[in-house]
Amino acid sequence: FYKIINSVQKFNGSAWENISGANTSTLNTGNLTINTKYRANVTSVDAVCGSGYSEPVTIAVKKSVL
């Protein structure tokens, strides 16, 4: 099923917050310095299934070893 991305959120440590302008399948996070969780609010194209949140994904930041 195709989905429409309504919004993308990140977890700020205590709550989910919307990322302004983030409503596509591509997200530029910028430089991350800590592990960060993201999730998307999606709707099925035919809207029969309604909308809901994706499973969160964590972007893990690894410290470089020189």
Side-chain angles (χ1 to χ4, degrees), residues 17-28:
E17 59 185 30
N18 285 330
I19 300 172
S20 179
N23 59 359
T24 67
S25 61
T26 303
L27 176 66
N28 182 352

Side-chain angles (χ1 to χ4, degrees), residues 4-39:
I4 297 170
I5 298 175
N6 301 315
S7 64
V8 177
Q9 298 178 323
K10 73 175 182 176
F11 192 70
N12 66 15
S14 60
W16 290 98
E17 59 185 30
N18 285 330
I19 300 172
S20 179
N23 59 359
T24 67
S25 61
T26 303
L27 176 66
N28 182 352
T29 64
N31 292 330
L32 297 175
T33 58
I34 60 171
N35 294 350
T36 308
K37 290 183 182 182
Y38 295 93
R39 70 180 182 180

